[in-house]
Amino acid sequence: MKSFFILLTILTTSYSAFSQSTITGKVSDEKQKPAEFATVLLLRKTDSALVKSALTNGTGAYSFSNISKGSYLITATMVGYKKSSVSVNVEGPAVKAPGITITPGAANLREVSITARRPFLEQRPDKLVVNVEGSATAAGSTALEVLQKVPGLIVSDDKITMVGKGSPNILIDGRQSQYTDISQVLKDLSAANIERIEVIANPGAKYDAAGGSVINIIMKRNANLGTNGSFSLASGLGIYNRGEYGVDRNFYRLSPSLNINHRQGKFNSFGSYSFFHRNYYDYSEFNRTISGSRYEQVNYSPNNANSHNFSAGADFYADKKNTFGVIIRGFIREGSRNASNLTEQVNDASNSLESTFETLNYTTSNRSNFSGNLNWKHSFDTLGRDLNVDLDYSNFNIETVSNITNIDNNNTAFNNQQFVDNPVKFGVLKLDYSHPVGKDAKFEAGGKSTIATIDNFLTFIRNGKTDADRSTNFRYMENINALYSSYQHKFGKWNLQGGLRLEQTVANGKEELNTVLERDYWQLFPSAFITREITPKISTILQYTRRVNRPSFQQQNPFIQFLDSLTYTQGNPKLRPETADQYKISLTYQNQPFIAFSYNKKQDVIFSNAPRQNGNLTYTTSENLGTYDNFAAELNFPLNLGKKISGFGGNQFIYNRYKADYLSGTYEQSKWNWLAYWQLAYKPTSTLNFELSGYYMTKFLNEFITIDNLGSLNFAVQKTFWDRKGKLSLNFNDILFSDNTRASILYREINVDFRQFYESRNARLTFSYSFGNQQLKAARNRKTASEDEANRVKTN
C-alpha cells in the first residue's frame, strides 16, 4: 500500500491555481430581436460536460462568472426553436462571446433526431462499440440475450465466450464487484436500461490484466437538468409444445423497471429499480459409454426466479474543480430448481436394459448483495487534467440448499442433502490520473489495491449423517496490487498508444486450518495500439496486449459438488494462472469494422472442465494442461439498400488448436470453423421499424468438447409514438429453435455425447415511456474501482 500513498502524494501536489474570467454574450431570434428567457449552457469543449447554465434577460443578454481558462461551447435553446452554438476560448479576465441566433425548428425536430442516430457498430482504436439503445431486437430481452446479438460473442449454455479469448470479464458501468455470479445476474437483468456495449478484445494497461477480453455494459443514466426518467414493462412467453423435450408447463417472464434522475444546482441524484420474474427450463440428454455399458440420461430442470435490482446515488459538484459522489447498489434474488434425472444402463453389445435409476434434486437458492462506492473527481484545469479516487466495498451472501433423492432399480429411495454457504467480501481502492500533453497527447497513470475474502462452507449429508469426504470448510484470501501508466499521442495521420501494468498477487487458501494454497508473485503486462489514417474514411489499427486469466475462486475450492446421479465437479486449489499474448490488425471504414486478423496464444491453459472417470461416475475439474493457439480472420460489411433499409453483416473464420498432456496421453486437436452474423432494419416510416437478426456457426472445438452447429434467427417490430417518448416492441427470439448445444467428448476412456436445450424460443412484448426533460445529457457516468474481482466468483 506504500506505493499508493506515494502516488497519491505526487498527484495531489501537482495542483495549481488559475485565474478566473467572466463570459458575456447575447441571444437573438431569426428577426434579430432579443431572445428573452432562453436557456444558455456553458459546456467544456473537450467532453461536452456542463459547467454552468443561465437564462437570458429582457435584452437577450447572459453572463457566466468565475470561469477557468480553456475552450468552451455555448449553446442556446428555447421552446419552439432549434439549438444553436458558438465556440469561445477563455484567456483574459473578460470575454465577449459571439452573438447566438436561434431559429424556429419545430418542423425539423424529427429530421434532426434521425440525422443524429448512431450506427449500430463503431470501431474505435481500442474497442468496438455496439449501440443497442433503440434496437428493436433488444426490447424485452435480458442482458444475456442482448450479448447473443453482439458480433464475435458466443453465448452457449449461459456461458459467454469471445472468439479466441475464452470467457471475457463482464463489467457493468466499468465495475463488477456488485455482482457475485455475473452469468446469473445477466439472465435477470432487463435490457431496457442498456445504452451501449463496449467490446474490448485487447484491453490496455488501464484495465485489470485478468481475463482475455473485456465487455463493458453501459447502462442508461440520463441525469439531465430538472427531473427525468423512464419506465418499461416487458412480458414474454416461451413457445413450446407440451411434452416436447420434457416441457410440462408454460414458461413466461415479467419485468417492470424504473429509472429516475434529478439535477438541480450543484446536486445530481439518480436511482433505479427493476423486478424480474422468470420461469424457464433446462433440458439435457447424455449418452456415456463406460466399460461395455451405455448410460443414457435425460435431465429436465424447470426453474423459477424472482430478482430485485436496485441502485441509488448522488453527485455533489462542490465547485468547478471538485465533484464528490456516492453510489449504492445491489440485488436480492430468490430461486428454485426442480431437476429430475432418469438414467438407463444398457448393455452396449446386446442393447438390453440392465438397470434403471432416478435422481430428484430440488434446490433453493438465496443470493443478495450490497455494494457501496465513494468517489472524488478533482479537475486541475478545464483541459482534462483530472484525478479520480474510488473506494468500494461489496458484501455478498450466497446460500443454496439441495434435497437429493436417489431411487435405485429396486425402487428404494436414498435421501441426501447438500448445503452451501458462501459469503464474499471485497474492498477496493483505486486511483486514476489523466494529464493532457498539449492538444494531441495524453498521459495516464494510476494504481489499484483489492482485498477479497471468500468463505466456502459445504456440508453434504448422506442418509442423515454428515459425509466428511464431501463436506468442506475452505477459506480463501487474496490481495492484488497494481500500478499502471499509459501514453497516447496523435500526430498527423498517426495515433499511438502504449501502456505498462505491474501487478502483485498474494493468495492464501486454508481448508480446516490446513494451508493448501499460498502464493506471492509479480507480473508485467505491456500493451500497444497503433492507428494510421489511410484516407479520411479508411484507417488501420494494430493491437498487442498481454493478459492473465486467474482461476476463479470456486475453481480453487477443493469441494465436491453433486450435479446428478453420475456427475459431479471438484475444485483444484493448485491451479496456476494462465497467460496470453494477443495480437490483432484491422482495417476500418468510416469507423466501422471491416477486415481484421487476430492471433492469440495461451500458456498454462486452464481447462475448465477436464473430465475423469471414477468407476461409472464422471467428474470434471479444472487443470493447467498445455497450450492453446487461436487464429481468426474477420470480414464485416454494411447492408444498406436505399434510405429505408440498413444494417450490417459479418463473417469470422476461426482456427482453434489445443495441445495438452492429460490422463497418461497427449491431447492434440485442432479445427477450423465459420461464424456468420447479421442485423437488418427496415424503416418504412419515421415511427415504425422492423428488424431481422441472427447468427450461424459451424462445428467448433472448445477444450475437450466438439460442439455441433449453432444458430439463431430473431425478428422484431417497433412502433414509437407520443413524440417518440412512447415505444412498443414485439420480439420473436430464436424462431427456428436452433440456439441449442449438441456436443461430444472422445478422449482416452471418456466417451460422451450430449445435447442441451433451454428456454430460448419466446415472444416478448415491451412498452417503455420516457418522461421529463430529455434534452441535455449529463457530464458524468461514473466508473468505480471494482472492475475485475467478482467475475471470478461463480456459483453455477
Side-chain angles (χ1 to χ4, degrees):
M1 294 296 293
K2 182 179 179 181
S3 58
F4 286 92
F5 293 109
I6 294 174
L7 178 64
L8 180 60
T9 302
I10 293 173
L11 297 178
T12 56
T13 53
S14 60
Y15 179 92
S16 60
F18 288 79
S19 59
Q20 307 300 304
S21 303
T22 299
I23 303 175
T24 58
K26 286 189 174 183
V27 182
S28 305
D29 62 16
E30 80 282 6
K31 298 179 180 178
Q32 296 304 308
K33 293 183 178 180
E36 186 177 3
F37 300 122
T39 300
V40 186
L41 307 173
L42 180 66
L43 310 175
R44 280 203 308 260
K45 202 166 187 179
T46 54
D47 57 5
S48 298
L50 178 67
V51 178
K52 287 193 174 184
S53 62
L55 292 174
T56 58
N57 59 21
T59 64
Y62 65 89
S63 66
F64 299 112
S65 59
N66 298 322
I67 305 302
S68 301
K69 292 182 179 179
S71 298
Y72 297 90
L73 189 70
I74 302 175
T75 68
T77 58
M78 195 164 66
V79 175
Y81 287 79
K82 293 190 294 185
K83 179 173 67 176
S84 185
S85 305
V86 296
S87 297
V88 63
N89 291 319
V90 177
E91 295 179 352
V95 177
K96 186 174 182 180
I100 301 176
T101 301
I102 55 176
T103 58
N108 297 325
L109 286 178
R110 294 185 184 271
E111 181 180 351
V112 171
S113 175
I114 295 172
T115 302
R117 185 178 180 181
R118 294 177 176 176
F120 187 77
L121 297 178
E122 291 182 86
Q123 181 66 62
R124 300 180 185 176
D126 58 344
K127 59 191 164 189
L128 174 68
V129 178
V130 184
N131 296 302
V132 299
E133 184 179 15
S135 171
T137 56
S141 302
T142 66
L144 190 69
E145 290 167 337
V146 170
L147 289 174
Q148 289 177 318
K149 300 171 176 63
V150 175
L153 297 184
I154 302 169
V155 180
S156 177
D157 193 27
D158 294 338
K159 305 295 189 299
I160 303 169
T161 58
M162 183 181 292
V163 173
K165 311 290 184 180
S167 298
N169 288 325
I170 308 293
L171 313 182
I172 298 180
D173 283 341
R175 50 190 175 270
Q176 279 186 316
S177 66
Q178 68 269 34
Y179 304 116
T180 70
D181 184 356
I182 191 67
S183 63
Q184 185 62 62
V185 170
L186 292 176
K187 289 198 298 185
D188 296 341
L189 182 63
S190 173
N193 297 327
I194 296 178
E195 178 181 324
R196 67 183 187 275
I197 297 173
E198 298 175 344
V199 182
I200 308 170
N202 297 305
K206 187 174 182 178
Y207 292 92
D208 285 0
S213 57
V214 170
I215 296 174
N216 190 16
I217 301 173
I218 307 298
M219 308 299 289
K220 294 179 183 177
R221 180 173 159 190
N222 300 321
N224 302 335
L225 289 179
T227 301
N228 78 332
S230 62
F231 170 76
S232 174
L233 178 63
S235 62
L237 180 68
I239 305 174
Y240 301 96
N241 295 324
R242 291 288 183 94
E244 184 181 20
Y245 309 120
V247 172
D248 61 350
R249 68 196 72 182
N250 293 325
F251 295 95
Y252 63 95
R253 67 181 72 187
L254 181 67
S255 178
S257 64
L258 174 68
N259 286 270
I260 193 165
N261 312 273
H262 179 74
R263 185 166 181 170
Q264 187 71 38
K266 294 185 176 182
F267 285 93
N268 171 44
S269 57
F270 54 91
S272 67
Y273 169 78
S274 64
F275 172 75
F276 196 91
H277 170 78
R278 184 183 180 188
N279 65 342
Y280 56 98
Y281 78 89
D282 298 307
Y283 176 85
S284 60
E285 297 176 358
F286 290 85
N287 191 328
R288 315 167 199 256
T289 301
I290 304 172
S291 301
S293 295
R294 290 199 320 272
Y295 293 84
E296 299 175 353
Q297 291 182 281
V298 175
N299 300 276
Y300 174 61
S301 303
N303 299 263
N304 187 76
N306 293 313
S307 177
H308 304 264
N309 293 267
F310 56 87
S311 68
D315 292 326
F316 172 57
Y317 301 87
D319 53 40
K320 60 186 175 300
K321 296 182 181 295
N322 295 286
T323 302
F324 299 90
V326 59
I327 301 173
I328 298 172
R329 63 175 63 229
F331 66 84
I332 300 172
R333 183 187 188 277
E334 298 177 346
S336 63
R337 176 187 179 97
N338 195 2
S340 63
N341 166 264
L342 178 63
T343 302
E344 293 183 344
Q345 181 179 355
V346 179
N347 186 284
D348 198 29
S350 64
N351 205 34
S352 59
L353 182 65
E354 295 180 341
S355 66
T356 301
F357 48 96
E358 187 176 7
T359 302
L360 306 177
N361 187 347
Y362 179 70
T363 300
T364 58
S365 62
N366 293 279
R367 303 170 185 167
S368 62
N369 159 245
F370 176 85
S371 298
N373 167 263
L374 297 174
N375 56 77
W376 167 46
K377 179 179 180 180
H378 178 76
S379 297
F380 295 96
D381 51 38
T382 60
L383 302 176
R385 192 157 63 99
D386 299 328
L387 170 68
N388 286 277
V389 181
D390 281 271
L391 181 63
D392 271 19
Y393 175 77
S394 299
N395 185 20
F396 315 92
N397 286 291
I398 307 169
E399 297 178 352
T400 62
V401 179
S402 299
N403 293 288
I404 306 164
T405 301
N406 294 319
I407 304 172
D408 64 14
N409 198 43
N410 299 316
N411 206 31
T412 303
F414 302 90
N415 296 313
N416 305 309
Q417 285 186 307
Q418 181 173 276
F419 301 89
V420 176
D421 186 9
N422 186 202
V424 182
K425 298 178 181 178
F426 290 109
V428 186
L429 172 65
K430 186 169 182 280
L431 309 175
D432 293 294
Y433 174 68
S434 177
H435 188 116
V437 182
K439 66 175 184 177
D440 295 324
K442 182 170 67 174
F443 170 77
E444 291 182 314
K448 179 178 178 181
S449 183
T450 302
I451 298 177
T453 61
I454 300 93
D455 292 321
N456 299 273
F457 303 100
L458 187 146
T459 303
F460 193 90
I461 298 177
R462 185 193 300 272
N463 294 326
K465 296 182 179 180
T466 300
D467 186 337
D469 293 333
R470 289 196 174 186
S471 301
T472 185
N473 179 0
F474 182 71
R475 181 177 176 84
Y476 181 82
M477 298 185 65
E478 183 180 82
N479 172 220
I480 299 178
N481 301 308
L483 291 171
Y484 79 89
S485 64
S486 66
Y487 181 75
Q488 182 177 358
H489 190 105
K490 183 178 182 180
F491 56 95
K493 297 182 178 181
W494 294 87
N495 190 335
L496 308 180
Q497 180 179 337
L500 184 65
R501 188 178 185 92
L502 173 66
E503 290 193 354
Q504 179 197 25
T505 302
V506 181
N508 178 272
K510 291 185 177 182
E511 184 180 14
E512 304 292 350
L513 302 180
N514 296 318
T515 299
V516 295
L517 171 65
E518 193 165 14
R519 293 196 179 116
D520 186 347
Y521 57 90
W522 294 81
Q523 293 174 294
L524 277 173
F525 302 96
S527 61
F529 307 88
I530 303 173
T531 303
R532 172 67 162 87
E533 182 183 297
I534 300 174
T535 72
K537 293 185 177 181
I538 300 175
S539 298
T540 183
I541 302 173
L542 293 172
Q543 302 176 349
Y544 165 74
T545 58
R546 183 171 175 81
R547 308 289 292 166
V548 64
N549 181 24
R550 296 186 181 90
S552 73
F553 301 128
Q554 265 67 24
Q555 284 178 321
Q556 296 175 96
N557 188 337
F559 67 86
I560 298 174
Q561 186 167 352
F562 179 90
L563 298 179
D564 60 46
S565 58
L566 294 179
T567 313
Y568 63 93
T569 182
Q570 184 173 14
N572 180 5
K574 296 182 180 180
L575 275 179
R576 303 181 304 276
E578 66 179 23
T579 57
D581 291 285
Q582 304 176 167
Y583 309 82
K584 186 174 184 179
I585 180 171
S586 56
L587 197 69
T588 65
Y589 179 76
Q590 292 184 332
N591 291 326
Q592 298 190 48
F594 180 40
I595 298 175
F597 300 93
S598 63
Y599 173 69
N600 308 288
K601 186 174 184 63
K602 292 183 180 181
Q603 305 286 347
D604 268 347
V605 177
I606 298 176
F607 279 62
S608 301
N609 296 292
R612 290 180 182 267
Q613 286 296 142
N614 184 4
N616 66 348
L617 299 178
T618 302
Y619 75 93
T620 62
T621 187
S622 298
E623 299 273 6
N624 295 101
L625 292 184
T627 61
Y628 167 68
D629 294 276
N630 164 265
F631 172 79
E634 180 179 343
L635 173 65
N636 297 286
F637 46 85
L639 295 174
N640 298 321
L641 303 174
K643 296 182 178 180
K644 296 184 177 181
I645 298 178
S646 63
F648 72 93
N651 298 266
Q652 290 187 3
F653 298 91
I654 305 159
Y655 173 78
N656 291 320
R657 178 181 178 272
Y658 294 90
K659 184 176 181 180
D661 295 323
Y662 187 58
L663 297 180
S664 301
T666 299
Y667 176 77
E668 189 169 4
Q669 294 289 333
S670 62
K671 189 169 187 60
W672 282 93
N673 70 284
W674 172 55
L675 169 65
Y677 40 85
W678 61 88
Q679 183 178 54
L680 196 64
Y682 170 58
K683 197 164 188 177
T685 69
S686 61
T687 61
L688 185 62
N689 186 39
F690 297 89
E691 287 190 10
L692 187 70
S693 65
Y695 82 97
Y696 177 78
M697 185 163 61
T698 60
K699 183 182 293 187
F700 65 101
L701 186 66
N702 182 22
E703 298 180 1
F704 289 99
I705 306 172
T706 300
I707 302 176
D708 286 347
N709 304 344
L710 290 172
S712 178
L713 181 65
N714 317 296
F715 174 75
V717 58
Q718 185 177 90
K719 172 70 175 177
T720 60
F721 43 88
W722 296 338
D723 197 21
R724 300 183 184 275
K725 291 184 177 181
K727 187 184 300 181
L728 188 66
S729 304
L730 178 62
N731 299 52
F732 297 94
N733 200 53
D734 193 17
I735 298 172
L736 304 178
F737 194 43
S738 54
D739 194 9
N740 47 66
T741 302
R742 293 173 172 83
S744 62
I745 303 174
L746 182 59
Y747 177 69
R748 310 292 285 180
E749 71 270 25
I750 312 296
N751 186 353
V752 181
D753 294 316
F754 63 93
R755 61 175 184 165
Q756 295 175 316
F757 306 145
Y758 67 102
E759 190 257 331
S760 61
R761 185 171 62 189
N762 51 66
R764 303 188 302 266
L765 183 65
T766 306
F767 169 77
S768 61
Y769 177 73
S770 300
F771 56 87
N773 183 359
Q774 302 292 317
Q775 302 302 314
L776 177 68
K777 295 295 182 184
R780 289 180 17 126
N781 194 348
R782 185 68 185 180
K783 296 181 180 180
T784 67
S786 307
E787 294 181 348
D788 250 335
E789 289 68 42
N791 195 43
R792 297 169 58 207
V793 183
K794 302 173 182 177
T795 58
N796 58 2

